[in-house]
Amino acid sequence: MPLLEPKPGALRPRSIRGPARDRLPGHRAGGTPEPLRTELTELLSPEKVLWKVSDLVRYASDASPYRFVPQVVVIAEDIDDVSAVLSYAHGRQREVVFRAAGTSLNGQAQGEDVLVDVRRHWAGIEVLEEGRRARIRPGTTVARANAALARHGRILGPDPASAVACTLGGVVANNASGMTAGTTRNSYRTLSSLTFVLPGGTVVDTADPLADEELSRAEPALCHGLMEIKREIEADPALVARIRAKYEIKNTTGYRLDAYLDGTTPVEILRGLMVGSEGTLGFISEVVFDTLPLDRELCSALLFFPSLPAAAAAVPLFNEAGAVAVELMDGNTLRASVSVTGVPADWADLPLETTALLVEFRAPDQAGRDACARRAARILDGLDLVAPAASVTNAFTSDPKTVGGYWQARRAFVTAVGGARARGTTLITEDFAVPPSRLAEACEALLALQAEHGFDAAVAGHAAHGNLHFMLAFDAADPADVERYGAFMEAFCRLTVERFDGSLKAEHSTGRNMAPFLELEWGPAAAALMWRTKRLVDPEWVLAPRILLDRDPRAHLRGLKTIPQVEAMVDPCIECGFCEPTCPSGDLTTTPRQRIVLRREMMRQQPGSPVLDGLLAAYGYDAVDTCAGDSTCKLACPVGIDTGALMKDFRHRRHGRREEAAAALAARRFGAAESAARLTVAAADRIPSRVGDRLLEAVTEGARKAVRPDLLPRWLPQIPGAAARHLPPTRRVGAAAVYYPACVNRIFGGPEDRPGPSLPQAVVAVSERAGRPVWIPGDVGGTCCATIWHSKGYEAGTRVMANRIVEAAWGWTAGGLLPLVVDASSCTLGIAREVVPYLTPENRALHAELRILDSIVWAAEELLPRLEVRRRVGSAVLHPTCSMRHLGDEDRLRAVAEACAEEVVVPDDAGCCAFAGDRGMLHPELTASATAREAAEVTARAFDAHLSANRMCEVGMDRATGRSYYSALLELEHATRP
């Protein structure tokens, strides 16, 4: 047994409130049943079949109010895997659901049998024809695709608010549109071609000139049936007129019946039907979009009105003036948005009736923008606006920061309002459309209906297109509250259809919550055609049954998930999935959302439950140990939920008294530990590398087993050599700043293949060269930013070192008179922010007086304007660290790099390397997974320099790419050297 074994039961929830009605039953504790598990493992391979109970539970939730636990999860790598699963399902009467990002709001990404993950191995974009078209794989996020297209001045038509997380496969499968897409820029209208796999395994590429010929040979009955339905529709003028009228406004309810009118061949009809089919007709493996011009000149305003109907009445004025977006936010939405970074605090006190319109004009050039501004000004003169808070300006602006803040508040609608809901309640997001001319009337009717049923909903949406979203919260554990919600939905659907002839789903697709009402909207004849279409394409109903078509009138009330209360710091989570693309462990173990989902299932269980025991057994490694603790999930979450902080707290809970005491002792005697570490690295340098690496790997592995594997790091061949014994000499007199070399740069040296000064020498030299000399205090040894302890959850050790560094910095900087310049971004973040909760009240006051700068910021703001660049490399690729993202310093890294290189590239897939101090040495598999996509971009071409701003992140990227990363300040010193 290891010397410092984690405390048993430390991760067990402290106050389980189960058993909940929707808990996973005990008989499923063993995970995937036999023979399903063995058969799929033999068909695919063990690494492609997730079968543990924890795997099934973490895939059971998406951004919707529903929860269905699959029998098995398959990680499909290619079309062959998909075809194999479909063939297997056909032979055994099983059901298959495809899941990518899991950001859909109506349960489309959930299945009760075989769930196939098509995100992990399905990302990639190929820009075609100088950006006019783009070939995109279904696991690629909208934001990632647009980043690649932006370099060509192009953009995709669909622009959903969840663009940072939702993937193109889901966007097409749901015909998601967004703020500006309307009915002309959505997937149906901008899709050039797609490749899909039919339920029977036939692969169709609609761009292939021979596609119809090949499909007719492979699926003759399908081709005949499609053309027969087309003829029936075209023979009924009233039905044709009805179909055309339904798509004059946004509509994603049911299958796209206009595909039968727009397509002339079976393949063309299928191409249209696949859009918005929610994975019920086939798997979309690739899409080709016709892109649109990216108009970069913006003119935007956030305009406040006294009521929702008053705001709605102004919408047609901006539509007629050519606004590309007119977004509505009601009082509940505005008030909830104060939880979003950058939103004015005084919005919290806005009158409940207040409603705002976010209006945006876009133009290709400044002249066009000025013309838009003139049209906007004429409209403003006639509006009855209000200014209920000091921050309200009611003015148009082109300032990027201000405009970005407006959109951040709007895009956070679902998460901000959801985060503000009552604890323990389930969130429903509805999405409907009416003719834009009747928007004001619809708003009044909706408010009255909500009041009648006792709901105080939040309303927002794409007002320019008559498309509104509203959110309701209710207690899914209370049958009476579920019935109240059911009664509201029945009344709402009848109101939308019978009074406004609207769309029950405008852009979120039918999903489980609207499937029972499909015939209400479309009528029996059109609904029957949809059922025929499903039976024709998928006669065995293998794909996603009950997601789009369901005859059960109460189907929308089946599978509603309860939301057990969990730890307060993550309890507001609505499981939206915005955090997942940024999570370093997402392709290895779990994501932040899944960590919370697993925790909630633990709370549904009762003590002694075998399911609870199974979840706890996996949670240590899957959730706690492999969390990088970088907290980029907090940046991605619109309401700032920091799951990384919770994982650090769980690490603390697992520590015994002896372990905490040992960590605190190490902090008090860190000077000796620092010297020993540097001497150890120096000794390793003297051993021949091949022999030394094997020897040190064996020694550290033995020590890990003896002490604790998740405490002691293993030796990696990429570990740099030792730093110089002595730091460069400096003088306090005349210093413009105090320079604090981080302990990592006092222990480890720079890259072996780059001769020249060390990082401390470079910082001193380049500062002196710019006439801004720095001083290194003589007693920096034995001090640290406390991240070593903080990242592992050692609270006592963190407290010791946090107070020590702040007291020392106070003295070094003469009470904050001089800035403290830190040469590792994670250490900058640690001293600037992370130590604060651990400080004594006295030291917290001292800390408030300190000015802490990252060395990259120091160089960009203080040195560059005073330096002469004498030489530049041809190209440099950057790895911005996650700490720089927290600090907002990424632009300074680019500025320094651009001074040193003719071409500077930040990979589109750049993210946290997950080395996280020494976590990459504790779990190298974490860094390997986290960096895979970024490394593929970096190694796809040659660069003259590979630059970053943190030594251990550089080591992690060295390991991932085989290229030598080093500090941008080393390159700056070389570029400005006389």
Side-chain angles (χ1 to χ4, degrees):
M1 178 181 292
L3 182 63
L4 298 176
E5 184 75 5
K7 284 167 60 178
L11 300 181
R12 191 173 295 274
R14 293 170 176 171
S15 55
I16 295 178
R17 296 176 178 85
R21 63 161 182 80
D22 62 338
R23 70 189 182 281
L24 190 67
H27 73 266
R28 298 199 59 186
T32 300
E34 294 291 3
L36 179 61
R37 174 185 165 190
T38 298
E39 289 175 348
L40 281 176
T41 299
E42 291 174 351
L43 178 67
L44 302 167
S45 61
E47 66 274 9
K48 295 179 182 178
V49 179
L50 303 183
W51 59 270
K52 293 187 303 183
V53 64
S54 60
D55 294 325
L56 307 184
V57 167
R58 66 187 173 97
Y59 272 93
S61 293
D62 60 8
S64 79
Y66 298 99
R67 179 173 174 271
F68 293 97
V69 183
Q71 294 290 329
V72 68
V73 177
V74 171
I75 308 296
E77 286 191 10
D78 50 34
I79 283 184
D80 289 344
D81 286 346
V82 171
S83 296
V85 171
L86 291 176
S87 176
Y88 174 85
H90 269 283
R92 291 165 176 78
Q93 293 76 52
R94 306 209 73 106
E95 301 169 357
V96 176
V97 170
F98 298 109
R99 175 183 176 127
T103 56
S104 57
L105 297 168
N106 303 305
Q108 297 99 312
Q110 297 182 35
E112 300 172 75
D113 195 6
V114 180
L115 187 70
V116 182
D117 182 309
V118 289
R119 177 196 62 85
R120 185 176 301 184
H121 298 292
W122 295 84
I125 174 172
E126 179 187 2
V127 177
L128 307 170
E129 300 171 18
E130 298 181 336
R132 289 187 293 276
R133 294 166 71 229
R135 187 187 311 279
I136 309 173
R137 305 193 75 207
T140 309
T141 65
V142 175
R144 172 65 176 83
N146 279 334
L149 289 168
R151 291 192 286 272
H152 302 271
R154 308 292 291 184
I155 194 171
L156 295 175
D159 64 336
S162 57
V164 296
C166 68
T167 58
L168 267 301
V171 167
V172 174
N174 291 300
N175 197 21
S177 47
M179 276 74 69
T180 65
T183 58
T184 60
R185 295 163 55 114
N186 61 20
S187 295
Y188 189 81
R189 298 299 178 193
T190 61
L191 197 63
S192 174
S193 67
L194 70 161
T195 301
F196 53 87
V197 185
L198 290 169
T202 302
V203 179
V204 180
D205 177 0
T206 66
D208 185 348
L210 300 177
D212 273 294
E213 180 181 329
E214 293 173 355
L215 182 63
S216 65
R217 283 198 301 267
E219 309 252 5
L222 171 60
C223 293
H224 175 76
L226 292 172
M227 297 307 291
E228 185 178 353
I229 293 175
K230 174 180 173 64
R231 285 190 292 270
E232 288 182 26
I233 293 174
E234 291 178 337
D236 186 341
L239 181 57
V240 169
R242 179 62 177 159
I243 291 171
R244 291 300 189 195
K246 288 295 291 178
Y247 294 111
E248 287 178 0
I249 62 174
K250 295 173 72 171
N251 190 328
T252 59
T253 310
Y255 293 122
R256 284 287 307 210
L257 291 181
D258 57 347
Y260 286 106
L261 301 176
D262 297 333
T264 59
T265 70
V267 167
E268 290 179 1
I269 293 170
L270 281 172
R271 172 221 168 277
L273 286 172
M274 285 293 166
V275 179
S277 63
E278 306 175 54
T280 63
L281 300 181
F283 167 61
I284 298 171
S285 63
E286 185 177 88
V287 295
V288 177
F289 273 95
D290 292 322
T291 66
L292 301 169
L294 174 58
D295 292 333
R296 300 179 188 272
E297 294 294 332
L298 310 179
C299 178
S300 310
L302 191 61
L303 307 176
F304 287 73
F305 295 81
S307 68
L308 196 154
V315 172
L317 301 176
F318 290 108
N319 283 346
E320 293 166 8
V324 296
V326 185
E327 296 292 298
L328 182 146
M329 293 181 279
D330 78 341
N332 280 333
T333 302
L334 294 167
R335 288 151 63 111
S337 296
V338 296
S339 61
V340 179
T341 302
V343 171
D346 59 9
W347 285 15
D349 300 318
L350 289 172
L352 197 58
E353 300 79 16
T354 303
T355 302
L357 291 181
L358 170 52
V359 182
E360 184 160 288
F361 295 85
R362 297 178 187 170
D365 51 37
Q366 188 169 340
R369 186 190 71 190
D370 292 343
C372 292
R374 289 191 293 271
R375 295 198 299 272
R378 287 195 291 270
I379 297 172
L380 281 185
D381 290 340
L383 296 180
D384 182 20
L385 302 176
V386 296
S391 64
V392 173
T393 63
N394 287 326
F396 277 86
T397 179
S398 297
D399 175 63
K401 185 175 181 181
T402 303
V403 173
Y406 292 160
W407 280 109
Q408 190 168 356
R410 169 61 190 91
R411 291 190 179 102
F413 163 63
V414 173
T415 45
V417 174
R421 74 194 188 285
R423 294 189 72 179
T425 57
T426 298
L427 193 70
I428 295 277
T429 304
E430 283 307 332
D431 156 52
F432 73 108
V434 298
S437 61
R438 301 189 68 184
L439 181 65
E441 181 188 353
C443 287
E444 290 186 287
L446 176 63
L447 291 175
L449 189 65
Q450 290 171 355
E452 178 185 340
H453 289 269
F455 286 108
D456 183 18
V459 180
H462 318 309
H465 310 292
N467 175 198
L468 290 181
H469 307 316
F470 63 90
M471 300 177 67
L472 307 173
F474 66 97
D475 186 355
D478 180 355
D481 222 22
V482 171
E483 291 303 316
R484 178 172 68 106
Y485 163 68
F488 171 83
M489 283 299 298
E490 182 78 27
F492 162 72
C493 291
R494 295 201 173 278
L495 171 73
T496 303
V497 172
E498 295 171 358
R499 179 170 169 181
F500 296 101
D501 193 20
S503 306
L504 293 176
K505 281 296 179 185
E507 62 175 2
H508 293 168
S509 221
T510 314
R512 296 178 183 274
N513 54 338
M514 279 302 164
F517 303 101
L518 184 146
E519 186 169 321
L520 172 67
E521 175 176 337
W522 275 97
L529 290 174
M530 296 182 187
W531 281 87
R532 277 179 64 187
T533 297
K534 171 65 173 174
R535 284 193 294 269
L536 185 63
V537 180
D538 185 17
E540 295 187 37
W541 288 74
V542 168
L543 289 180
R546 306 194 72 172
I547 284 180
L548 190 148
L549 298 172
D550 199 324
R551 298 197 190 280
D552 178 1
R554 292 178 59 82
H556 60 302
L557 305 179
R558 186 178 77 94
L560 290 169
K561 65 184 173 189
T562 61
I563 305 292
Q565 293 184 29
V566 290
E567 286 75 10
M569 69 176 76
V570 299
D571 193 63
C573 175
I574 63 165
E575 302 173 10
C576 69
F578 281 31
C579 56
E580 293 195 338
T582 195
C583 178
S585 60
D587 287 344
L588 178 68
T589 50
T590 58
T591 66
R593 169 170 61 177
Q594 291 173 339
R595 290 175 169 97
I596 297 169
V597 164
L598 288 166
R599 202 68 184 165
R600 283 175 172 160
E601 180 57 34
M602 293 180 195
M603 299 301 293
R604 292 187 183 98
Q605 299 294 322
Q606 57 189 354
S609 155
V611 171
L612 175 59
D613 291 342
L615 296 178
L616 286 168
Y619 202 77
Y621 175 78
D622 287 352
V624 181
D625 294 344
T626 52
C627 174
D630 63 307
S631 294
T632 51
C633 52
K634 178 182 180 180
L635 300 177
C637 176
V639 293
I641 294 173
D642 189 349
T643 312
L646 179 62
M647 296 304 107
K648 292 173 186 175
D649 180 62
F650 285 162
R651 290 170 189 168
H652 170 67
R653 293 188 197 180
R654 292 195 300 180
H655 299 156
R657 249 182 233 173
R658 182 169 57 175
E659 192 173 340
E660 278 285 335
L665 180 63
R668 284 191 289 271
R669 299 182 180 177
F670 185 63
E674 177 186 335
S675 297
R678 199 199 66 78
L679 288 172
T680 300
V681 174
D685 284 346
R686 291 192 285 271
I687 305 174
S689 58
R690 186 173 299 178
V691 175
D693 287 338
R694 285 201 303 267
L695 174 62
L696 290 166
E697 286 171 5
V699 169
T700 56
E701 200 57 41
R704 283 159 54 81
K705 290 177 181 177
V707 178
R708 180 170 147 195
D710 201 56
L711 179 60
L712 290 182
R714 70 185 72 191
W715 180 265
L716 300 178
Q718 292 79 13
I719 296 298
R725 289 187 59 189
H726 302 293
L727 293 166
T730 55
R731 299 177 65 240
R732 184 169 192 170
V733 177
V738 175
Y739 169 33
Y740 180 70
C743 65
V744 68
N745 292 320
R746 303 193 305 260
I747 295 171
F748 298 109
E752 294 180 4
D753 59 353
R754 182 177 174 82
S758 65
L759 179 58
Q761 289 169 334
V763 173
V764 170
V766 78
S767 298
E768 184 73 35
R769 201 173 292 157
R772 303 288 286 165
V774 294
W775 170 63
I776 302 175
D779 57 347
V780 294
T783 63
C784 173
C785 65
T787 300
I788 295 173
W789 293 269
H790 180 243
S791 66
K792 294 181 175 63
Y794 291 115
E795 290 192 358
T798 304
R799 197 170 294 109
V800 168
M801 190 55 73
N803 285 279
R804 179 186 298 175
I805 186 60
V806 168
E807 290 167 2
W810 174 258
W812 295 333
T813 62
L817 186 64
L818 294 176
L820 184 72
V821 175
V822 185
D823 66 3
S825 57
S826 59
C827 302
T828 309
L829 179 67
I831 299 173
R833 298 183 186 176
E834 292 177 344
V835 300
V836 175
Y838 301 91
L839 299 175
T840 64
E842 296 79 11
N843 284 342
R844 197 167 295 188
L846 299 184
H847 183 274
E849 300 295 323
L850 297 176
R851 186 156 63 99
I852 300 155
L853 296 178
D854 190 78
S855 55
I856 294 292
V857 176
W858 169 252
E861 296 181 354
E862 295 291 332
L863 307 185
L864 269 183
R866 299 175 172 88
L867 289 169
E868 178 186 353
V869 175
R870 298 171 180 269
R871 59 194 66 83
R872 303 173 86 192
V873 296
S875 61
V877 63
L878 306 186
H879 174 70
T881 69
C882 49
S883 298
M884 301 187 85
R885 288 187 60 199
H886 283 285
L887 294 164
D889 294 344
E890 291 171 285
D891 58 334
R892 273 62 153 226
L893 176 63
R894 178 179 279 277
V896 172
E898 287 176 342
C900 304
E902 300 289 343
E903 177 195 12
V904 173
V905 173
V906 178
D908 290 332
D909 285 315
C912 176
C913 67
F915 212 83
D918 66 355
R919 192 139 298 266
M921 299 162 71
L922 297 169
H923 298 286
E925 70 278 14
L926 175 60
T927 291
S929 178
T931 56
R933 292 182 183 175
E934 181 179 356
E937 274 192 81
V938 171
T939 55
R941 57 161 289 190
F943 291 96
D944 297 314
H946 300 75
L947 307 178
S948 191
N950 187 291
R951 192 69 192 102
M952 299 318 290
C953 295
E954 291 155 17
V955 172
M957 291 306 298
D958 288 356
R959 182 172 175 82
T961 65
R963 311 287 173 87
S964 180
Y965 276 76
Y966 53 92
S967 172
L969 296 184
L970 290 173
E971 193 61 49
L972 180 64
E973 190 282 325
H974 179 259
T976 60
R977 192 183 302 167

